[in-house]
C-alpha cells in the first residue's frame, strides 16, 4: 500500500470508534502509525474496533471531547460528533457542545503541541441550499433556530474556530466538508437513509420515505471518503480547506429505495411520510477543489457500495437481535 506519510506518527482520532473514525483508524494503522482512538461511545461502539484490541500500535481512550484532554501526539483528526438526526437531536445542547467545546479543546491541544489538526465538517453547513451543486464558496442557507440547528450551526461555528486559530495562532489546519457517506459499520439505528432502507428491507419491514422521494442525495462509499481524508492531511500547508469530500453522483431517495429493494430481494413495500422540518431538497458536492488540490475523486459506484453494505448488515443483524 502506498504510504502518504514519510515516518511513523502518533495520531489522535476523536470519534475513533464511530462509523467513519474506525475506518480511518484502520487506514492509519495500516500505514504504520500509532493511533489513540478517543470516543465516549455515545454513538460509537466497541464493535467497530474489537478487531484492534490486541494491536500493538492501537490505544483506546474513553473520553468526552467537551472536557480538556492532555496527551502527546504528532497529529489530530477531529471527528467526534453525532452525525445523524436521530442521535444529534436526542440531546441538542450536548451536540452543540461537542462541536464547539470539542473544537476549542482539540484546537487548544494542537496549539500547545504545535501539530497539524484535521476537522471533519459537514455538507450540513450549506443547509437547504439555494445553489446546486454546492461549492465551498457558498455560504449556505441554514435555519439557526430549528431542530437541526444544533448540528448545522455547531459545525459552522467549529469551522469558524478552526480558521480563527489558523489566522490568530498560525495553526496548521485541514477542514473537509463531508457529504452523505455509507458503508459497513454504520449504526443500524442511526436514522440515515442508507442504513434505514437496508435494515428495514432485511427485516421485511416497510421502507420509509420522508417526502415524495424526489429529494436528492449523493452517496460516497466510506473507503473513498477516508482516502480523501488522508490526501487532505498529507497536502501542503497552503491547503487549509474547506474542501468538499463526497460523490457528485446524484440520486433521488426513490431511486435509492428501488436499488435496496432489488438487492435485498425483500417483500418490503415503500411507505411515505411527511418531510421533516429543514430537510434539504437537494444535496450534491462540487468536488473541483478536491480533484485539483488532492487529485481525489470517488471510485466505488453506488451499486457496488450498497452490495458491500448490505452484506455487512446481513451479518450483524442476527447478532443484534440477540442483544
Amino acid at each position: 500500500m502506498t504510504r502518504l506519510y514519510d515516518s511513523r506518527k502518533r495520531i489522535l482520532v476523536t470519534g475513533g470508534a464511530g462509523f467513519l473514525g474506525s475506518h480511518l483508524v484502520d487506514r492509519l494503522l495500516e500505514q504504520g502509525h500509532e493511533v489513540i482512538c478517543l470516543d465516549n461511545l455515545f454513538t460509537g461502539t466497541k464493535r467497530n474496533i474489537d478487531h484492534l484490541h490486541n494491536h500493538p500500535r492501537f490505544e483506546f481512550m474513553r473520553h468526552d471531547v467537551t472536557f480538556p484532554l492532555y496527551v502527546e501526539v504528532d497529529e489530530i483528526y477531529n471527528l467526534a460528533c453525532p452525525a445523524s438526526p436521530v442521535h444529534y437531536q436526542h440531546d441538542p445542547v450536548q451536540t452543540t457542545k461537542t462541536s464547539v467545546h470539542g473544537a476549542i479543546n482539540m484546537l487548544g491541544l494542537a496549539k500547545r503541541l504545535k501539530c497539524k489538526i484535521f476537522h471533519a465538517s459537514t455538507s450540513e453547513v450549506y443547509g437547504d441550499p439555494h445553489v446546486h451543486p454546492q461549492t465551498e464558496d457558498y455560504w449556505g442557507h441554514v435555519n439557526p433556530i430549528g431542530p437541526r440547528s444544533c448540528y448545522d450551526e455547531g459545525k459552522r461555528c467549529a469551522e469558524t474556530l478552526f480558521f480563527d486559530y489558523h489566522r490568530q495562532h498560525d495553526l496548521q489546519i485541514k477542514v473537509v466538508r463531508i457529504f452523505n457517506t455509507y458503508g459497513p459499520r454504520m449504526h443500524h439505528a442511526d436514522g440515515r437513509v442508507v442504513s434505514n432502507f437496508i435494515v428495514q428491507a432485511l427485516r421485511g419491514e416497510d421502507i420509509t420515505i420522508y417526502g415524495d422521494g424526489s429529494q436528492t442525495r449523493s452517496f460516497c462509499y466510506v473507503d473513498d471518503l477516508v482516502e480523501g481524508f488522508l490526501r487532505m492531511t498529507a497536502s501542503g500547508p497552503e491547503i487549509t480547506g474547506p474542501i468538499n469530500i463526497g460523490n457528485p453522483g446524484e440520486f433521488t431517495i426513490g431511486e435509492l429505495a428501488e436499488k435496496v429493494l432489488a438487492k435485498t430481494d425483500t417483500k418490503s413495500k415503500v411507505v411515505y411520510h411527511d418531510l421533516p422540518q429543514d430537510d434539504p431538497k437537494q444535496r450534491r458536492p462540487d468536488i473541483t477543489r478536491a480533484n485539483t488540490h488532492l487529485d481525489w475523486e470517488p471510485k466505488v459506484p453506488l451499486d457496488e457500495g450498497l452490495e458491500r453494505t448490505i452484506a455487512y448488515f446481513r451479518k450483524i443483524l442476527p447478532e443484534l437481535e440477540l442483544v
Side-chain angles (χ1 to χ4, degrees), residues 300-315:
V300 180
L302 181 59
D303 284 309
E304 181 181 339
L306 283 177
E307 287 167 6
R308 296 183 195 176
T309 309
I310 290 167
Y312 167 77
F313 278 110
R314 281 193 195 278
K315 178 181 177 183

Side-chain angles (χ1 to χ4, degrees), residues 271-320:
V271 296
Y272 296 87
H273 293 278
D274 292 338
L275 196 67
Q277 181 182 340
D278 301 328
D279 195 64
K281 311 299 186 301
Q282 285 183 308
R283 189 59 62 72
R284 176 163 70 93
D286 182 309
I287 62 167
T288 302
R289 284 191 189 179
N291 191 256
T292 301
H293 297 303
L294 310 179
D295 191 27
W296 178 88
E297 62 182 3
K299 306 293 186 188
V300 180
L302 181 59
D303 284 309
E304 181 181 339
L306 283 177
E307 287 167 6
R308 296 183 195 176
T309 309
I310 290 167
Y312 167 77
F313 278 110
R314 281 193 195 278
K315 178 181 177 183
I316 70 157
L317 281 179
E319 300 171 17
L320 292 173

Side-chain angles (χ1 to χ4, degrees), residues 17-76:
F19 162 45
L20 300 181
S22 63
H23 284 278
L24 174 62
V25 167
D26 282 346
R27 284 293 302 275
L28 293 172
L29 290 170
E30 286 172 12
Q31 290 184 338
H33 301 298
E34 298 176 34
V35 178
I36 298 176
C37 169
L38 189 87
D39 208 298
N40 68 352
L41 300 180
F42 173 59
T43 57
T45 172
K46 287 186 177 179
R47 175 194 296 274
N48 291 339
I49 53 173
D50 271 348
H51 62 291
L52 301 174
H53 180 67
N54 293 317
H55 197 292
R57 288 181 278 105
F58 174 79
E59 178 183 349
F60 174 70
M61 183 181 297
R62 188 162 185 169
H63 182 85
D64 189 323
V65 294
T66 62
F67 297 96
L69 177 71
Y70 303 97
V71 293
E72 304 298 318
V73 294
D74 304 305
E75 208 163 77
I76 300 169

